[in-house]
Amino acid sequence: MDLKDKVAVITGSSRGIGRAIALKLAGLGAKVVVNYRTNAEAAQEVVEAIQAQGGQAIAVQADVGDAEDAKRLVKAAQTTYGRLDVLVNNAGLHRDTLLVRMSEDDWNEVMHTNLRGTFNCTKAAMRPMMKQRYGRIVNISSVSGLAGNPGQANYSAAKAGVVGFTKAVAKEVGSRNITVNVVAPGYVLTDQTAYLPEELKAKAIEMTPLGRAGMPEDIANAVAFLVSEEASFITGVVLRVDGGLAMIG
């Protein structure tokens, strides 16, 4: 796979899965825009790691749930590198609790970043991608958005929304040589899952046929394929990268 001269924006890429995606795409030759909301130091570390391996990257602060911030993020890619070829909507957060205890803020904050952020960034990317008649978009969902998960009504709803959104947009922009796909991770070892009780972590691995937790690099490898020319005839798909955790449909 070769992404030389491609420009990629990865939202929420200062840590975890987003960081792994940024490093992977940069390693394949892409010029990368590392997005963060609050942790400038972590984002700069990713930029420096990319530069250390001979790549090009910048860090851009933006709250993707804010439409103007999303536009500014896309504009930064165009201003710095002259184009935008790849968008990975990875930014996301959890506010897990049972529905009877879930506040409106718990619901709204997850929707703001996980679903509205995907909408905002995709819409902002449409004009440059349609103009150049080329684009690769990958939206990060979750097996929770496919099968549901107790304690995650907000997260599951947002990630299910990402799937429906992806399929609709894929049908709208396919004629412009723009592909739009979903990667749905299972249980992956990141700082967002580190808070889980040990018994839940063990249960997740037990329910995974491959018998291990996923690593951020497992997700990054799938994203790299979907944004490559090898996947140019693939759009509107949901690729589960979950070790077999959610064998549905």
Side-chain angles (χ1 to χ4, degrees), residues 8-23 25 32-37 46 62-65 73 86-94 110-122 136-142 155 158-159 162 165-166 181-186 188-192 215-221 223-224 227:
V9 169
I10 301 103
T11 70
S13 48
S14 65
R15 57 195 175 94
I17 290 173
R19 180 184 188 278
I21 294 169
L23 292 171
L25 300 193
V32 173
V33 176
V34 176
N35 162 248
Y36 69 99
R37 186 172 68 168
V46 179
D63 175 359
V64 297
L73 176 61
V86 174
L87 170 65
V88 182
N89 285 305
N90 165 77
L93 52 82
H94 295 261
V110 169
M111 291 295 168
H112 175 84
T113 298
N114 298 19
L115 187 54
R116 185 179 293 124
T118 298
F119 162 75
N120 286 339
C121 291
T122 302
R136 299 289 180 263
I137 300 173
V138 176
N139 299 324
I140 306 300
S141 179
S142 167
Y155 185 78
K159 291 302 188 178
V162 166
F165 173 81
T166 297
N181 292 294
V182 169
V183 170
V188 178
L189 294 177
T190 68
D191 55 357
Q192 285 207 40
M215 301 299 293
E217 292 74 17
D218 293 317
I219 313 306
N221 290 337
V223 171
V227 303

Side-chain angles (χ1 to χ4, degrees), residues 15-246:
R15 57 195 175 94
I17 290 173
R19 180 184 188 278
I21 294 169
L23 292 171
K24 178 68 178 183
L25 300 193
L28 293 172
K31 301 169 185 177
V32 173
V33 176
V34 176
N35 162 248
Y36 69 99
R37 186 172 68 168
T38 58
N39 197 335
E41 183 177 352
Q44 186 58 35
E45 186 277 327
V46 179
V47 169
E48 291 172 1
I50 290 171
Q51 293 172 339
Q53 65 183 19
Q56 297 183 55
I58 60 170
V60 177
Q61 189 281 331
D63 175 359
V64 297
D66 180 276
E68 293 305 313
D69 270 20
K71 292 176 186 176
R72 181 169 54 80
L73 176 61
V74 167
K75 187 67 175 178
Q78 295 176 278
T79 301
T80 305
Y81 298 121
R83 57 188 292 119
L84 173 61
D85 302 288
V86 174
L87 170 65
V88 182
N89 285 305
N90 165 77
L93 52 82
H94 295 261
R95 293 293 180 267
D96 296 352
T97 188
L98 294 175
L99 181 61
V100 294
R101 298 174 185 161
M102 187 174 292
S103 68
E104 287 192 25
D105 285 345
D106 291 332
W107 177 272
N108 291 335
E109 192 170 357
V110 169
M111 291 295 168
H112 175 84
T113 298
N114 298 19
L115 187 54
R116 185 179 293 124
T118 298
F119 162 75
N120 286 339
C121 291
T122 302
K123 184 176 180 181
M126 278 298 99
R127 190 174 297 276
M129 287 185 175
M130 291 178 76
K131 185 176 180 179
Q132 68 198 20
R133 300 188 71 87
Y134 179 90
R136 299 289 180 263
I137 300 173
V138 176
N139 299 324
I140 306 300
S141 179
S142 167
V143 295
S144 295
L146 306 179
N149 200 36
Q152 291 190 320
N154 48 4
Y155 185 78
S156 297
K159 291 302 188 178
V162 166
V163 172
F165 173 81
T166 297
K167 293 183 177 183
V169 176
K171 291 180 178 180
E172 290 183 11
V173 300
S175 64
R176 298 298 185 98
N177 192 31
I178 301 170
T179 66
V180 193
N181 292 294
V182 169
V183 170
Y187 172 52
V188 178
L189 294 177
T190 68
D191 55 357
Q192 285 207 40
T193 58
Y195 74 94
L196 294 172
E198 290 303 318
E199 59 269 23
L200 286 183
K201 296 178 185 179
K203 183 66 174 178
I205 293 174
E206 180 185 338
M207 294 173 62
T208 301
L210 289 185
R212 69 171 176 89
M215 301 299 293
E217 292 74 17
D218 293 317
I219 313 306
N221 290 337
V223 171
F225 168 67
L226 287 174
V227 303
S228 73
E229 285 309 297
E230 285 83 347
S232 62
F233 199 55
I234 299 174
T235 195
V237 305
V238 179
L239 176 57
R240 291 185 298 103
V241 186
D242 65 351
L245 177 63

